[in-house]
Amino acid sequence: MTYGSNMVLLVLQIILQHQHSLVGRDKDLDIKKLMAEPVIDAEVLTKCQNHTMIKMYAPELAKITLRNLRFLVEEWFASVPELRREDVTLVTLANHYYALRISEIEDDLPKIRNETKAIINTYTQT
């Protein structure tokens, strides 16, 4: 299943916060290793399943199993074309999806401007 960059970024944010939480609880954990090989457990799954934005914009993602969530994240890690899998971290993955999101927004801006102008013209002509 393919998700929009906004949903991928939200899931990555949940995972990133969880990694920081784990390191806060256990000082023996290596944050650099967790960035490259994040722990995706029941806590991450629950946060994803209960997140309002995920429920609203990707309801099928809110029903995902832990196994499928892990598989999906691994697919995202492998999907960055300019990097080898072993070079991808949560941060580089998020940067990749931020770039995609910015590109999507830039593509939508002319349409939004035209719609805004049409709305303003409708109100100024009456």
Side-chain angles (χ1 to χ4, degrees), residues 3-118:
Y3 297 99
S5 57
N6 56 341
M7 288 297 102
V8 174
L9 285 166
L10 181 54
V11 172
L12 292 175
Q13 177 185 356
I14 291 168
I15 294 169
L16 181 61
Q17 288 173 338
H18 184 62
Q19 306 316 294
H20 283 283
S21 173
L22 291 173
V23 169
R25 286 184 253 163
D26 184 352
K27 301 296 181 192
D28 292 333
L29 292 174
D30 180 7
I31 190 66
K32 288 182 181 180
K33 184 175 182 186
L34 291 175
M35 291 295 112
E37 298 174 21
V39 172
I40 302 169
D41 57 14
E43 191 174 334
V44 171
L45 178 65
T46 301
K47 286 179 182 179
C48 288
Q49 289 174 331
N50 294 326
H51 198 285
T52 303
M53 298 302 285
I54 290 175
K55 286 181 180 179
M56 191 180 321
Y57 293 105
E60 65 283 356
L61 187 55
K63 297 173 185 164
I64 198 167
T65 64
L66 183 56
R67 180 179 178 196
N68 287 340
L69 179 59
R70 287 176 177 156
F71 179 73
L72 186 60
V73 172
E74 185 54 40
E75 279 184 351
W76 294 341
F77 266 81
S79 71
V80 182
E82 60 273 8
L83 295 174
R84 297 178 321 201
R85 167 57 185 101
E86 52 272 2
D87 296 331
V88 179
T89 66
L90 283 171
V91 173
T92 58
L93 187 58
N95 285 340
H96 171 74
Y97 279 97
Y98 275 121
L100 288 176
R101 185 69 183 137
I102 289 168
S103 177
E104 292 167 0
I105 291 170
E106 286 174 342
D107 290 344
D108 288 342
L109 280 177
K111 177 182 167 192
I112 293 169
R113 281 189 195 114
N114 290 336
E115 289 173 359
T116 304
K117 285 179 185 177

